[in-house]
Amino acid sequence: MSWPVRTARLSIRRVSPADEEAMWAYRCLEEVSRWGSWRPADREDWRGILRTRLRDLLVIELKGRVVGDVMVKVEDGWAQREVRDQARGVQAELGWALDPAVGGHGYASEAVREVLRVCFEDLQLRRVTANAFAANEASCRLAERVGMRREVYTVADSLHRELGWVDGVGYALLAHEWTANR
């Protein structure tokens, strides 16, 4: 892959340690961390989280300013032992966060659509998924807006730090669906 990739308004590239401060500015906000898998306790905790996620994170830039990030975690598909090699590195899980200061302008949709393009066209993946708390309506709408289908609705299977056991949702998109809807 050659980074960055560009859309009409955004630039998307691999995260670097130098992005720590810019990402902290929105990642520490309650409205962003509420639905994420992790909430940084403080700057030092954020540095540790970022170091462990460098491989899987892309940053979204608007006019040179980091305004969001997308996790692209390439994974193996489930397979029986005899065909396991054919399932290595064929799918990815996505996750996303956007600075609320730039929300409402379609940047998240634009960025996630481009990341889906990268997954299917450049990385040649066969399947992309995204999971969320069912109550995270903004993420659910985004997944649907970019063409992902809701495949799973689970009841009280996801433990939220404040809400307790809540429902979860899973979205997916296959390469041939992406191609057909382009």
Side-chain angles (χ1 to χ4, degrees), residues 33 68 90 96 106 114 120 124-125 137 146 170-171:
S33 65
V90 297
W96 44 74
E114 180 61 15
F120 293 125
Q124 295 290 297
L125 301 178
E137 295 174 5
V146 299
Y171 289 87

Side-chain angles (χ1 to χ4, degrees), residues 11-15 19 23 57-61 66 68-69:
S11 179
I12 302 167
R13 62 172 172 77
R14 295 188 84 54
V15 72
D19 297 316
M23 294 174 73
L57 276 180
L58 304 173
V59 292
I60 304 164
E61 291 181 318
V66 174
D69 58 85

Side-chain angles (χ1 to χ4, degrees), residues 152-159 165-169:
V152 176
Y153 189 98
T154 55
V155 177
D157 79 320
S158 302
L159 185 57
W165 289 101
V166 296
D167 298 349
V169 290

Side-chain angles (χ1 to χ4, degrees), residues 8 23 30 38 56 78 81 91 93 127 164 172:
M23 294 174 73
E30 166 62 24
W38 33 265
D56 300 327
W78 184 89
R81 182 184 60 159
Q91 65 186 38
E93 178 184 1
R127 178 179 167 83

